[in-house]
Amino acid sequence: MRIALVYPPTCDPTAPYLAVPMLTGFLRANGVEVLPVDANVEAFDALLTQDRMAGLLDRLEGRLVELDRRAALPHAEQLEYLALARARGDAHAVPGAVEGAKATLRSEGAFYDPDAYARAVATIEAALGVVSATHHPLKLDFTAYRTPFGLMSMDEIARSSLPEHDPFDAWVQQVLVPRLRDARADIVGLSVCFPGQLQPAYAFARKIKEALPGAHVTCGGPGVTQLLLRLSGERLARALGPFDSACLFEGEHTLLALARALDEGRPLRDVPNVVARDRLMGARWMPGHGMEDLKALPAPDFDGLPVGAYLAPTLVLPYDPTRGCYWGKCTFCHYGLAEVGTAAYRERAVETIVAHLGALAARHGTRHFYLSQDSVAPKTLVKMSQAILDAGLDVRWATDLKPEKYLTRERADVLRRAGAVACALGVESASPRVLGLIDKGAPVEVVSDVIDHLASAGVAAEAMCFTDFPTETHAEAVATLDFLRERREALAVYIVGEFGLTHGSLVAQAPERFGIDEVFELEGDELGLGLFFVPREPWKTDAERADVDERLADLSRGWTLRSYPWAGAVSTAHTILQYDRFGPGVFRERAARRAEGGVPGATAIERGLRFDPRAAEQAEAREAEIWATLVHEERRVGRDAYERLARSLPPLRPRPVRVRFVAGAAPAVTSGRRPSHAASAAR
């Protein structure tokens, strides 16, 4: 029995993720032949090349010519025209710069040069923008793969899987499928950890089944578990789509049992936690124990992964000293390997952790690790650190951490001496009332002390916060921002997100406790991924939300912050490497002098357009109105409902203009009529 384990896009390409290596280590320890494939880094690496970017430039120019021939542009094509116009400058600059950008990110020298790094990041992000525009309405980055109708129905999933809509199609057909065929894989498992991987995973599965009909294609991981455990019967069967089965919850023993059942010809309905089709019910699964004994699992096995392909100068390996959450009470949280809340907490033995880290460091020639888990008890972290010191192990590591009173200044120093470079702290809010609703169990005073203790020890303290938890007022949101500002000299970086409701959170289970009158899904959302709510009364006005955004933008000027997965974001490989080289204050110190970014070699071009992109911008506001109507008034989604509203909108008439395009900037009209915004202008 040969199993291929595939980690699909879209995810962080700067370091491997833990899922496939953990399954690989377990299966190999049980005598199973495994082919691990990090399709995320490989497919992005193949996409971000000079030849592919040049091809997308041709595609962009050809589509603009095609649209310019139209007598008028309806609503959807106005949006596409605007996306293409905005990406045109990038599309001309990126082909000559993208290979150099990847080389910079992998270079031991250039990676640490702030200007070279900024240019590389700008180039890669520009390239992703070109990919998105030329596959409109796709929005692609290293965390998400979004289209307006993307995961609402299996028909839309199939549509998005077509070669003309899927930027990864060529890599799957030309690289992945031949590799799987040559390996004679009996089972192909796709590991879906994040929502952004769902559409690519479905697309990969469709293409693998078409090319290799004899292979059993399965899937698993948090993203799949969170999706399928809420469905049943025919709805569950339809959600399987091209997959032959799915593995729910933690996958080591479940995947092994699936493989043995297939090998022995036994029915899959008898295998716990395996979703299989059923002639009477559509699809079903038999619940079983979904949590592994972590002490009995081997170390992750990275052998066979393309460790030289990641976009980083040094390999940063993930490792899981624990699983689950020892606190397990936060009301906003739902980690996908549990039906509600988070999985139960488990630890490896401290001596095992140290042995695994030492062996992985020696085998792969790295000393950099990210301790990847839901949470780790500070007491265990201190014990692990002391064991690292006792063993004389030279490693550098970072982790996420719940702020606890236990983490004194002296214990923080133990972490630093054992190689800790960063701890990302679940701060959430600085409002005692909101923290009480969250049930965080970490008072503001304790959080503040832990930040100070880590900073004093020389460990980068990172803060993870969010606003708009149900009933949070404007003053309470501002208190969180003020908390961060007052600790500027101690905080290395931070993130402030926005609350989002998820199915398995305690807020969704008991919304009335949190000032929520109603929680609802949308008609037409077959997979039920969208979850919306109606507050009992508004918590903030639009003006107050705008004020919070302005304050946050002002606060951010004190650091050089970037979005995930770049240096300056919380808990990323690039950030860890920068701390290790320059110290925990590197992103504060660089704020005083912004790095010189932009795509290298970019030059301005001037072209004529038959439609004025300034007028096309009005379509964006109309698009928002369409979705507001569908979600909050009609409470249904789907292509037919969308197009009914879109058809009522005014078309865009020709108004020829000359436009200046340059990478990293909005198109600038240089000549032509100024567009009218009068109500009669579209007649």
Side-chain angles (χ1 to χ4, degrees), residues 316-385:
V316 179
L317 292 178
Y319 178 76
D320 58 342
T322 71
R323 282 189 185 178
C325 180
Y326 71 91
W327 180 249
K329 298 179 183 180
C330 294
T331 55
F332 67 84
C333 187
H334 178 214
Y335 180 64
L337 292 175
E339 292 190 54
V340 177
T342 56
Y345 185 66
R346 290 143 290 154
E347 297 180 344
R348 297 185 190 267
V350 167
E351 58 271 19
T352 301
I353 296 171
V354 175
H356 284 172
L357 292 175
L360 289 168
R363 181 166 187 79
H364 297 287
T366 185
R367 63 176 186 170
H368 293 89
F369 292 89
Y370 184 76
L371 304 185
S372 179
Q373 71 280 304
D374 300 332
S375 66
V376 55
K379 185 176 293 186
T380 299
L381 201 62
V382 173
K383 288 180 180 177
M384 182 200 78
S385 297

Side-chain angles (χ1 to χ4, degrees), residues 142-162:
F142 293 136
T143 63
Y145 189 105
R146 300 181 297 275
T147 56
F149 310 106
L151 294 168
M152 291 177 183
S153 73
M154 297 311 299
D155 289 342
E156 289 295 343
I157 287 172
R159 179 189 181 111
S160 295
S161 303
L162 295 172

Side-chain angles (χ1 to χ4, degrees), residues 490-508:
L491 281 173
V493 296
Y494 68 87
I495 185 171
V496 179
E498 286 186 297
F499 171 78
L501 186 62
T502 55
H503 285 277
S505 68
L506 294 177
V507 176

Side-chain angles (χ1 to χ4, degrees), residues 181-249:
R181 183 182 291 116
D182 292 345
R184 301 192 305 279
D186 303 293
I187 299 174
V188 180
L190 284 96
S191 181
V192 184
C193 297
F194 303 102
Q197 293 177 287
L198 280 168
Q199 172 60 44
Y202 275 115
F204 278 36
R206 290 178 64 85
K207 293 159 190 178
I208 292 167
K209 285 299 294 183
E210 289 171 2
L212 306 172
H216 182 95
V217 181
T218 189
C219 58
V224 163
T225 297
Q226 207 165 51
L227 166 63
L228 297 182
L229 64 80
R230 294 177 288 100
L231 308 178
S232 60
E234 291 297 335
R235 194 178 179 195
L236 178 59
R238 187 160 172 78
L240 275 178
F243 292 102
D244 297 302
S245 67
C247 299
L248 304 187
F249 304 109

Side-chain angles (χ1 to χ4, degrees), residues 254-511:
T254 300
L255 184 54
L256 179 61
L258 169 68
R260 288 175 173 168
L262 290 171
D263 197 33
E264 297 165 7
R266 291 187 283 109
L268 296 185
R269 64 175 177 270
D270 298 331
V271 183
N273 295 334
V274 170
V275 178
R277 286 185 170 81
D278 183 275
R279 282 181 294 180
L280 294 177
M281 300 178 63
R284 61 186 291 271
W285 58 285
M286 181 174 67
H289 185 65
M291 291 182 290
E292 298 286 344
D293 177 3
L294 190 57
K295 286 186 171 66
L297 295 183
D301 188 341
F302 298 90
D303 288 358
L305 292 179
V307 293
Y310 296 99
L311 298 181
T314 301
L315 184 63
V316 179
L317 292 178
Y319 178 76
D320 58 342
T322 71
R323 282 189 185 178
C325 180
Y326 71 91
W327 180 249
K329 298 179 183 180
C330 294
T331 55
F332 67 84
C333 187
H334 178 214
Y335 180 64
L337 292 175
E339 292 190 54
V340 177
T342 56
Y345 185 66
R346 290 143 290 154
E347 297 180 344
R348 297 185 190 267
V350 167
E351 58 271 19
T352 301
I353 296 171
V354 175
H356 284 172
L357 292 175
L360 289 168
R363 181 166 187 79
H364 297 287
T366 185
R367 63 176 186 170
H368 293 89
F369 292 89
Y370 184 76
L371 304 185
S372 179
Q373 71 280 304
D374 300 332
S375 66
V376 55
K379 185 176 293 186
T380 299
L381 201 62
V382 173
K383 288 180 180 177
M384 182 200 78
S385 297
Q386 188 58 57
I388 288 173
L389 292 171
D390 293 342
L393 187 61
D394 182 19
V395 290
R396 299 289 182 271
W397 52 270
T399 189
D400 290 2
L401 196 63
K402 180 176 177 289
E404 298 278 19
K405 191 174 183 180
Y406 178 84
L407 198 58
T408 62
R409 193 179 305 271
E410 294 74 21
R411 289 169 178 147
D413 186 64
V414 173
L415 303 188
R416 182 196 59 78
R417 290 190 290 111
V421 295
C423 290
L425 305 172
V427 175
E428 322 311 357
S429 172
S431 162
R433 188 189 71 85
V434 173
L435 286 174
L437 286 172
I438 291 173
D439 199 5
K440 184 67 184 179
V444 177
E445 297 78 13
V446 170
V447 175
S448 183
D449 288 344
V450 170
I451 290 172
D452 288 341
H453 296 163
L454 290 170
S456 296
V459 179
E462 302 178 337
M464 298 182 290
C465 313
F466 64 90
T467 60
D468 266 359
F469 187 81
T471 74
E472 180 199 65
T473 65
H474 172 260
E476 288 168 331
V478 170
T480 300
L481 304 187
D482 288 344
F483 176 88
L484 299 175
R485 187 187 304 278
E486 290 161 5
R487 285 151 189 83
R488 181 183 180 278
E489 296 306 314
L491 281 173
V493 296
Y494 68 87
I495 185 171
V496 179
E498 286 186 297
F499 171 78
L501 186 62
T502 55
H503 285 277
S505 68
L506 294 177
V507 176
Q509 304 302 304

